[in-house]
Amino acid sequence: MRTIVVGVDQSPSSHAVAGWAGRLAGRLGAGLVAVNAFVGPAAEITPGDWEHLVARREATLARRWTRLATEAGAKVTTLVREGDPRDVLANVADDVVADLVVLGRYGEGGGPGFLHLGSVAEYAAHHWSRPLAVVPPRAGSVARMMIGVDGSAGSLAAAGWCEQVAPALGATVVAVNVEDSGREHGDARQPDAEDRLRELTAPLVDAGVEVETIVQRDLRPADALLRVADAIGADLLVVGLRGVGGFTGLRVGGVAVKVLHRASLPLVLVPPIH
């Protein structure tokens, strides 16, 4: 992993998230690009005043808003761009070929509860094609990662992401498969599910990662993943996204989006590899 992009605004929670991204970048040896997107004043201002406004924001971003990331040992580059944060962050991520984009669950004007459709994280989860981390303000270091595995293209991409990251962090990985408890197949398929899960996570083991496998039975996979993550004390949950479908360009439904709405721990959403 070479480049991580993190969105930063003037909210204290986003400064903490930048610190989390900085710790991750430092451990992975990746560069960190901290981006502040803002909407300029509605009233007309002179070019000189505009330059002063941007320069002041750049100085604040470099000196204060990314201080925790710098203290974590990350090599930080700062960028200030005018425009809708959804567009600015997507464009910067494309320009620097970001391997991961990190966003806070809450930003300026944010609060606890369901992520509304206008939020940057919600929009990114539905539309972007790069791995996305959505991080709460009090996230700590990552020593125990959990991944949802079901054999889909998204979950295989998520396993590949863990294969890149876990060895550098020295983290253990708990791979969880949720089987439909409503199917009439009795207990006979349980060993088959465990064998399949071990097969899917074999590349992680070959990469030197300590892997534990768990097969759960539940009608609601999102509920099961969050319940297991809480029970094992996971520091990070990694879930594969489905592809963007239809003319709407949205990932409507899906386990990953349901988990996004309810997770209280750091979450990484990984799209399928094209």
Side-chain angles (χ1 to χ4, degrees):
M1 186 172 295
R2 295 183 298 179
T3 307
I4 297 173
V5 168
V6 59
V8 185
D9 57 33
Q10 60 185 338
S11 64
S13 63
S14 86
H15 305 172
V17 170
W20 184 91
R23 292 191 296 273
L24 184 66
R27 294 290 300 274
L28 296 175
L32 182 66
V33 181
V35 182
N36 174 246
F38 75 102
V39 178
E44 291 187 11
I45 62 175
T46 66
D49 287 341
W50 176 257
E51 291 174 3
H52 177 70
L53 171 66
V54 173
R56 184 175 58 190
R57 205 170 186 96
E58 288 173 341
T60 305
L61 176 63
R63 186 177 65 252
R64 290 175 47 202
W65 297 349
T66 57
R67 178 178 56 83
L68 294 176
T70 303
E71 291 176 352
K75 184 178 179 181
V76 181
T77 301
T78 57
L79 293 174
V80 172
R81 297 285 186 271
E82 183 190 15
D84 187 317
R86 297 172 297 182
D87 299 327
V88 169
L89 285 161
N91 291 336
V92 170
D94 287 343
D95 290 343
V96 303
V97 194
D99 300 294
L100 178 69
V101 180
V102 181
L103 299 175
R105 275 191 81 81
Y106 321 121
E108 293 175 287
F114 190 89
L115 286 172
H116 57 83
L117 286 173
S119 74
V120 179
E122 177 86 20
Y123 180 89
H126 279 290
H127 295 275
W128 291 0
S129 59
R130 295 183 183 279
L132 169 70
V134 182
V135 182
R138 292 181 176 84
S141 59
V142 178
R144 191 166 177 80
M145 301 168 60
M146 181 180 135
I147 178 174
V149 180
D150 62 6
S152 65
S155 79
L156 293 177
W161 190 89
C162 290
E163 186 181 341
Q164 291 183 61
V165 173
L169 298 180
T172 59
V173 173
V174 180
V176 179
N177 172 257
V178 182
E179 286 209 308
D180 187 347
S181 61
R183 292 181 180 176
E184 296 293 334
H185 53 63
D187 294 329
R189 283 191 53 194
Q190 189 80 357
D192 293 338
E194 292 173 350
D195 290 344
R196 177 61 175 157
L197 186 53
R198 282 191 288 269
E199 178 184 336
L200 291 170
T201 56
L204 281 165
V205 176
D206 293 342
V209 179
E210 181 182 341
V211 178
E212 176 186 349
T213 57
I214 298 175
V215 175
Q216 287 285 107
R217 300 282 294 279
D218 201 300
L219 279 170
R220 296 171 294 276
D223 291 348
L225 289 174
L226 291 170
R227 186 170 62 248
V228 174
D230 182 62
I232 68 172
D235 304 307
L236 179 68
L237 175 57
V238 184
V239 182
L241 285 164
R242 61 171 58 171
V244 175
F247 65 89
T248 62
L250 290 175
R251 295 182 173 101
V252 179
V255 173
V257 175
K258 292 176 182 177
V259 169
L260 170 65
H261 292 159
R262 297 175 49 202
S264 59
L265 77 166
L267 173 67
V268 172
L269 304 174
V270 184
I273 298 173
H274 298 290

Coordinates of all heavy atoms in Angstrom, one line a residue, residues 55-127:
A55 N -4.9 30.4 1.8 CA -3.6 30.2 2.5 C -3.8 30.0 4.0 O -3.1 29.2 4.6 CB -2.8 31.4 2.2
R56 N -4.8 30.7 4.6 CA -5.0 30.5 6.0 C -5.5 29.1 6.3 O -5.1 28.5 7.3 CB -6.0 31.6 6.5 CG -6.3 31.5 8.0 CD -7.2 32.7 8.4 NE -8.4 32.6 7.6 CZ -9.3 33.6 7.7 NH1 -9.1 34.7 8.3 NH2 -10.5 33.5 7.0
R57 N -6.4 28.6 5.4 CA -6.9 27.3 5.6 C -5.8 26.2 5.4 O -5.8 25.2 6.1 CB -8.1 27.0 4.6 CG -9.1 26.0 5.0 CD -10.3 26.0 4.1 NE -11.3 25.1 4.6 CZ -12.3 25.4 5.4 NH1 -12.5 26.7 5.8 NH2 -13.2 24.5 5.8
E58 N -5.0 26.4 4.4 CA -3.9 25.5 4.2 C -2.9 25.4 5.4 O -2.5 24.3 5.8 CB -3.1 25.9 2.9 CG -3.8 25.6 1.6 CD -3.1 26.2 0.4 OE1 -2.2 27.1 0.6 OE2 -3.3 25.7 -0.7
A59 N -2.7 26.6 6.0 CA -1.8 26.6 7.1 C -2.4 25.9 8.3 O -1.8 25.2 9.1 CB -1.4 28.1 7.5
T60 N -3.7 26.1 8.5 CA -4.4 25.5 9.6 C -4.5 24.0 9.4 O -4.3 23.2 10.4 CB -5.9 26.0 9.8 OG1 -5.8 27.5 9.9 CG2 -6.6 25.5 11.0
L61 N -4.7 23.5 8.2 CA -4.7 22.1 7.9 C -3.4 21.5 8.2 O -3.3 20.4 8.8 CB -5.1 21.9 6.4 CG -5.1 20.4 5.9 CD1 -6.1 19.6 6.7 CD2 -5.4 20.4 4.4
A62 N -2.3 22.1 7.8 CA -1.0 21.5 8.0 C -0.5 21.6 9.4 O 0.2 20.7 9.9 CB 0.0 22.3 7.1
R63 N -0.9 22.7 10.2 CA -0.4 22.9 11.5 C -1.3 22.2 12.6 O -0.7 21.7 13.6 CB -0.3 24.4 11.8 CG 0.4 24.7 13.1 CD 0.5 26.2 13.3 NE -0.7 26.9 13.4 CZ -1.3 27.7 12.4 NH1 -0.6 27.9 11.3 NH2 -2.4 28.3 12.6
R64 N -2.6 22.3 12.4 CA -3.5 21.9 13.5 C -4.3 20.7 13.2 O -4.3 19.7 14.0 CB -4.4 23.0 13.9 CG -3.7 24.2 14.6 CD -4.7 25.3 14.8 NE -6.0 24.9 15.4 CZ -7.1 25.6 15.3 NH1 -7.2 26.7 14.6 NH2 -8.2 25.1 15.8
W65 N -5.0 20.7 12.1 CA -5.9 19.6 11.8 C -5.3 18.3 11.5 O -5.9 17.2 11.7 CB -6.8 20.0 10.6 CG -7.7 21.2 10.9 CD1 -7.9 21.8 12.1 CD2 -8.4 21.9 9.9 NE1 -8.7 22.9 11.9 CE2 -9.1 23.0 10.6 CE3 -8.7 21.8 8.5 CZ2 -9.9 23.9 10.0 CZ3 -9.5 22.7 7.9 CH2 -10.1 23.8 8.6
T66 N -4.0 18.2 11.1 CA -3.3 17.0 10.8 C -2.2 16.7 11.8 O -1.4 15.9 11.6 CB -2.7 17.0 9.4 OG1 -1.9 18.1 9.2 CG2 -3.8 17.0 8.3
R67 N -2.2 17.4 12.9 CA -1.2 17.3 13.9 C -1.1 15.9 14.5 O 0.0 15.3 14.6 CB -1.4 18.3 15.1 CG -0.4 18.2 16.2 CD -0.7 19.2 17.3 NE -2.0 19.1 17.9 CZ -2.4 18.2 18.8 NH1 -1.5 17.4 19.3 NH2 -3.6 18.2 19.3
L68 N -2.2 15.2 14.8 CA -2.2 13.9 15.3 C -1.6 12.9 14.3 O -0.9 12.0 14.6 CB -3.6 13.5 15.7 CG -4.2 14.2 16.9 CD1 -5.6 13.7 17.2 CD2 -3.3 14.0 18.1
A69 N -1.9 13.1 13.0 CA -1.3 12.3 11.9 C 0.2 12.4 11.8 O 0.9 11.4 11.7 CB -2.0 12.6 10.6
T70 N 0.6 13.6 11.9 CA 2.1 13.9 11.9 C 2.8 13.3 13.1 O 3.9 12.7 13.0 CB 2.4 15.4 11.8 OG1 1.7 15.9 10.6 CG2 3.8 15.7 11.7
E71 N 2.2 13.5 14.3 CA 2.8 12.9 15.5 C 2.8 11.4 15.5 O 3.6 10.8 16.1 CB 2.0 13.4 16.7 CG 2.1 14.9 17.0 CD 1.3 15.4 18.1 OE1 0.4 14.6 18.6 OE2 1.4 16.5 18.6
A72 N 1.9 10.8 14.7 CA 1.9 9.3 14.5 C 3.0 8.8 13.6 O 3.2 7.6 13.5 CB 0.6 8.9 14.0
G73 N 3.8 9.7 13.0 CA 4.9 9.3 12.2 C 4.6 9.3 10.7 O 5.5 8.8 9.9
A74 N 3.4 9.7 10.3 CA 3.1 9.6 8.9 C 3.7 10.8 8.1 O 3.9 11.9 8.6 CB 1.6 9.7 8.7
K75 N 4.1 10.5 6.9 CA 4.6 11.6 6.0 C 3.3 12.2 5.3 O 2.7 11.6 4.5 CB 5.5 11.0 4.9 CG 6.1 12.0 4.0 CD 7.0 11.4 3.0 CE 7.6 12.4 2.0 NZ 8.5 11.8 1.0
V76 N 3.0 13.4 5.7 CA 1.7 14.0 5.4 C 1.8 15.1 4.3 O 2.7 15.9 4.4 CB 1.0 14.6 6.6 CG1 -0.4 15.2 6.2 CG2 0.8 13.5 7.7
T77 N 1.0 15.0 3.3 CA 0.9 16.0 2.3 C -0.5 16.6 2.5 O -1.5 15.9 2.6 CB 1.0 15.5 0.9 OG1 2.3 14.8 0.7 CG2 0.9 16.6 -0.2
T78 N -0.6 17.9 2.4 CA -1.9 18.6 2.7 C -2.4 19.2 1.4 O -1.6 19.8 0.6 CB -1.9 19.6 3.8 OG1 -0.9 20.6 3.5 CG2 -1.6 18.9 5.1
L79 N -3.7 19.1 1.2 CA -4.4 19.8 0.0 C -5.6 20.5 0.4 O -6.5 19.9 1.2 CB -4.7 18.7 -1.1 CG -3.5 18.0 -1.8 CD1 -4.1 17.0 -2.7 CD2 -2.7 19.0 -2.6
V80 N -5.8 21.7 0.0 CA -7.1 22.4 0.2 C -7.7 22.6 -1.2 O -7.1 23.1 -2.1 CB -6.9 23.7 0.9 CG1 -8.2 24.6 0.9 CG2 -6.4 23.5 2.3
R81 N -9.0 22.2 -1.3 CA -9.7 22.4 -2.6 C -11.1 22.9 -2.3 O -11.8 22.5 -1.4 CB -9.8 21.0 -3.3 CG -8.5 20.4 -3.7 CD -7.9 21.1 -4.9 NE -6.7 20.5 -5.4 CZ -5.5 20.7 -5.0 NH1 -5.3 21.6 -4.0 NH2 -4.4 20.1 -5.5
E82 N -11.5 23.8 -3.2 CA -12.9 24.3 -3.1 C -13.8 23.3 -3.8 O -13.5 22.9 -4.9 CB -13.1 25.7 -3.7 CG -14.5 26.3 -3.6 CD -14.7 27.5 -4.4 OE1 -13.9 27.8 -5.3 OE2 -15.7 28.2 -4.1
G83 N -15.0 23.1 -3.3 CA -16.0 22.2 -4.0 C -16.7 21.3 -3.0 O -16.4 21.2 -1.8
D84 N -17.6 20.5 -3.6 CA -18.3 19.5 -2.8 C -17.3 18.4 -2.4 O -16.6 17.9 -3.2 CB -19.4 18.9 -3.8 CG -20.3 18.0 -3.1 OD1 -19.8 17.1 -2.2 OD2 -21.5 18.0 -3.3
P85 N -17.3 18.1 -1.1 CA -16.3 17.1 -0.6 C -16.4 15.8 -1.3 O -15.4 15.1 -1.5 CB -16.7 17.0 0.9 CG -17.3 18.3 1.2 CD -18.1 18.7 0.0
R86 N -17.6 15.4 -1.7 CA -17.8 14.1 -2.4 C -17.0 14.1 -3.7 O -16.4 13.1 -4.0 CB -19.3 13.9 -2.7 CG -20.1 13.7 -1.4 CD -21.6 13.7 -1.7 NE -22.1 14.9 -2.3 CZ -23.3 15.1 -2.6 NH1 -24.3 14.2 -2.4 NH2 -23.7 16.3 -3.2
D87 N -17.1 15.2 -4.4 CA -16.4 15.3 -5.7 C -14.9 15.5 -5.5 O -14.0 14.9 -6.2 CB -16.9 16.4 -6.6 CG -18.4 16.2 -6.9 OD1 -18.8 15.0 -7.1 OD2 -19.2 17.2 -7.0
V88 N -14.5 16.4 -4.6 CA -13.1 16.7 -4.4 C -12.3 15.5 -3.9 O -11.3 15.2 -4.5 CB -13.0 17.9 -3.3 CG1 -11.5 18.0 -2.9 CG2 -13.5 19.2 -3.9
L89 N -12.9 14.8 -2.9 CA -12.1 13.6 -2.4 C -12.0 12.5 -3.5 O -11.0 11.9 -3.6 CB -12.8 13.1 -1.2 CG -12.6 13.9 0.1 CD1 -13.7 13.6 1.1 CD2 -11.2 13.7 0.7
A90 N -13.1 12.3 -4.3 CA -13.0 11.3 -5.3 C -12.0 11.7 -6.4 O -11.2 10.8 -6.8 CB -14.4 11.1 -6.0
N91 N -11.9 13.0 -6.7 CA -11.0 13.4 -7.7 C -9.5 13.3 -7.2 O -8.6 12.9 -8.0 CB -11.3 14.8 -8.2 CG -12.6 14.9 -9.0 OD1 -13.0 14.0 -9.6 ND2 -13.2 16.1 -8.9
V92 N -9.3 13.7 -6.0 CA -7.9 13.6 -5.4 C -7.5 12.1 -5.3 O -6.4 11.8 -5.7 CB -7.9 14.3 -4.0 CG1 -6.5 13.9 -3.4 CG2 -8.0 15.8 -4.2
A93 N -8.4 11.3 -4.9 CA -8.1 9.8 -4.8 C -7.7 9.3 -6.1 O -6.8 8.4 -6.2 CB -9.3 9.1 -4.2
D94 N -8.4 9.7 -7.2 CA -8.1 9.2 -8.5 C -6.7 9.8 -9.0 O -5.9 9.1 -9.5 CB -9.2 9.6 -9.5 CG -10.4 8.8 -9.4 OD1 -10.4 7.7 -8.8 OD2 -11.5 9.3 -9.9
D95 N -6.5 11.1 -8.7 CA -5.2 11.7 -9.1 C -4.0 11.0 -8.5 O -3.0 10.9 -9.1 CB -5.3 13.2 -8.7 CG -6.3 14.0 -9.6 OD1 -6.7 13.5 -10.6 OD2 -6.6 15.1 -9.2
V96 N -4.1 10.7 -7.2 CA -3.0 10.1 -6.5 C -3.0 8.6 -6.5 O -2.1 8.0 -5.9 CB -2.9 10.6 -5.0 CG1 -2.8 12.2 -5.0 CG2 -4.0 10.1 -4.2
V97 N -4.0 8.0 -7.1 CA -4.2 6.6 -7.2 C -4.2 6.0 -5.8 O -3.3 5.1 -5.4 CB -3.1 5.9 -8.1 CG1 -3.5 4.5 -8.4 CG2 -2.8 6.7 -9.3
A98 N -5.1 6.5 -5.0 CA -5.2 6.1 -3.6 C -5.5 4.6 -3.4 O -6.4 4.1 -4.1 CB -6.2 6.9 -2.8
D99 N -4.8 4.0 -2.5 CA -5.1 2.6 -2.1 C -6.2 2.5 -1.1 O -6.8 1.4 -0.9 CB -3.8 1.9 -1.6 CG -2.7 1.9 -2.6 OD1 -2.9 1.2 -3.7 OD2 -1.7 2.5 -2.4
L100 N -6.4 3.6 -0.4 CA -7.5 3.6 0.7 C -7.9 5.1 0.9 O -7.0 5.9 0.9 CB -6.9 3.0 2.0 CG -7.9 3.0 3.2 CD1 -9.1 2.1 2.9 CD2 -7.1 2.6 4.5
V101 N -9.2 5.3 1.0 CA -9.7 6.6 1.4 C -10.3 6.5 2.8 O -11.1 5.6 3.1 CB -10.7 7.1 0.4 CG1 -11.2 8.5 0.9 CG2 -10.2 7.2 -1.0
V102 N -9.9 7.3 3.7 CA -10.4 7.3 5.1 C -11.3 8.5 5.4 O -10.9 9.6 5.1 CB -9.2 7.3 6.1 CG1 -9.7 7.2 7.5 CG2 -8.2 6.2 5.8
L103 N -12.5 8.2 5.9 CA -13.4 9.2 6.2 C -14.0 9.0 7.7 O -14.0 7.9 8.1 CB -14.6 9.2 5.3 CG -14.3 9.5 3.8 CD1 -15.6 9.3 3.0 CD2 -13.8 10.9 3.6
G104 N -14.3 10.1 8.3 CA -14.9 9.9 9.6 C -16.4 9.7 9.5 O -17.1 10.0 8.5
R105 N -17.0 9.0 10.5 CA -18.4 8.8 10.5 C -19.2 10.1 10.7 O -20.3 10.3 10.2 CB -18.8 7.9 11.7 CG -18.7 6.4 11.4 CD -19.3 5.6 12.4 NE -20.8 5.4 12.3 CZ -21.4 4.6 11.4 NH1 -20.7 3.9 10.6 NH2 -22.7 4.6 11.4
Y106 N -18.6 11.1 11.4 CA -19.2 12.4 11.6 C -18.2 13.4 11.2 O -17.0 13.3 11.4 CB -19.6 12.6 13.1 CG -20.2 11.3 13.7 CD1 -19.6 10.8 14.9 CD2 -21.3 10.7 13.2 CE1 -20.0 9.7 15.5 CE2 -21.8 9.6 13.8 CZ -21.1 9.1 15.0 OH -21.6 7.9 15.6
G107 N -18.7 14.5 10.7 CA -17.9 15.7 10.3 C -18.5 16.9 10.8 O -19.3 16.9 11.8
E108 N -18.3 18.0 10.1 CA -18.9 19.3 10.5 C -20.4 19.2 10.5 O -21.0 18.8 9.4 CB -18.5 20.4 9.6 CG -17.0 20.7 9.7 CD -16.5 21.7 8.7 OE1 -16.4 21.4 7.5 OE2 -16.3 22.9 9.1
G109 N -21.1 19.4 11.6 CA -22.5 19.4 11.6 C -23.0 17.9 11.8 O -24.2 17.7 11.8
G110 N -22.1 17.0 12.0 CA -22.6 15.6 12.1 C -23.0 15.2 13.5 O -22.8 16.0 14.5
G111 N -23.5 14.1 13.7 CA -23.9 13.6 15.0 C -24.1 12.1 15.0 O -24.0 11.5 14.0
P112 N -24.4 11.5 16.1 CA -24.6 10.1 16.2 C -25.9 9.7 15.5 O -26.8 10.5 15.2 CB -24.7 9.8 17.7 CG -25.2 11.1 18.3 CD -24.6 12.2 17.4
G113 N -25.9 8.4 15.2 CA -27.1 7.8 14.6 C -26.9 7.4 13.1 O -25.8 7.3 12.6
F114 N -28.0 7.2 12.4 CA -28.0 6.8 11.1 C -27.3 7.8 10.1 O -27.6 9.0 10.2 CB -29.5 6.6 10.6 CG -29.6 5.9 9.3 CD1 -29.7 4.5 9.3 CD2 -29.7 6.6 8.1 CE1 -29.9 3.8 8.1 CE2 -29.9 5.9 6.9 CZ -30.0 4.6 6.9
L115 N -26.5 7.2 9.3 CA -25.8 8.1 8.3 C -26.8 8.6 7.2 O -27.4 7.7 6.6 CB -24.7 7.4 7.6 CG -23.4 7.1 8.4 CD1 -22.5 6.2 7.6 CD2 -22.7 8.4 8.7
H116 N -27.0 9.9 7.1 CA -28.0 10.3 6.1 C -27.5 10.3 4.7 O -26.2 10.2 4.5 CB -28.5 11.8 6.4 CG -27.3 12.7 6.5 ND1 -26.8 13.3 5.4 CD2 -26.6 13.2 7.5 CE1 -25.8 14.2 5.7 NE2 -25.7 14.1 7.0
L117 N -28.3 10.3 3.7 CA -27.9 10.0 2.3 C -27.0 11.1 1.8 O -26.2 10.9 0.9 CB -29.1 9.9 1.4 CG -29.9 8.6 1.5 CD1 -31.2 8.7 0.7 CD2 -29.0 7.5 1.0
G118 N -27.0 12.3 2.4 CA -26.2 13.4 2.0 C -24.7 13.3 2.5 O -23.9 14.1 2.1
S119 N -24.5 12.4 3.5 CA -23.2 12.4 4.1 C -22.1 11.9 3.1 O -22.4 11.1 2.2 CB -23.2 11.5 5.3 OG -23.2 10.1 4.9
V120 N -20.9 12.3 3.2 CA -19.8 11.9 2.3 C -19.6 10.4 2.4 O -19.4 9.8 1.4 CB -18.5 12.7 2.6 CG1 -17.4 12.3 1.7 CG2 -18.8 14.2 2.5
A121 N -19.5 9.9 3.6 CA -19.3 8.5 3.8 C -20.4 7.6 3.1 O -20.1 6.6 2.4 CB -19.1 8.1 5.2
E122 N -21.6 8.0 3.3 CA -22.7 7.3 2.7 C -22.6 7.3 1.1 O -22.7 6.3 0.4 CB -24.0 7.8 3.1 CG -25.3 7.2 2.5 CD -25.7 6.0 3.2 OE1 -25.4 5.8 4.4 OE2 -26.4 5.1 2.6
Y123 N -22.4 8.5 0.6 CA -22.2 8.7 -0.8 C -21.1 7.8 -1.4 O -21.2 7.1 -2.4 CB -22.0 10.1 -1.2 CG -21.8 10.4 -2.6 CD1 -22.9 10.7 -3.4 CD2 -20.6 10.4 -3.2 CE1 -22.8 11.0 -4.8 CE2 -20.4 10.7 -4.6 CZ -21.5 10.9 -5.4 OH -21.4 11.2 -6.7
A124 N -19.9 7.9 -0.7 CA -18.7 7.2 -1.1 C -19.0 5.7 -1.1 O -18.6 4.9 -2.1 CB -17.6 7.5 -0.2
A125 N -19.7 5.2 -0.1 CA -20.0 3.7 0.0 C -20.8 3.3 -1.2 O -20.7 2.1 -1.7 CB -20.7 3.4 1.3
H126 N -21.7 4.1 -1.7 CA -22.6 3.8 -2.8 C -21.9 3.9 -4.2 O -22.3 3.3 -5.1 CB -23.9 4.6 -2.7 CG -24.9 4.1 -1.8 ND1 -25.6 2.9 -2.0 CD2 -25.3 4.6 -0.6 CE1 -26.4 2.7 -0.9 NE2 -26.2 3.7 -0.1
H127 N -21.0 4.9 -4.3 CA -20.5 5.3 -5.6 C -19.1 5.0 -5.9 O -18.7 4.8 -7.1 CB -20.8 6.8 -5.8 CG -22.2 7.1 -5.8 ND1 -23.0 7.1 -7.0 CD2 -23.1 7.6 -4.8 CE1 -24.3 7.5 -6.7 NE2 -24.3 7.8 -5.4

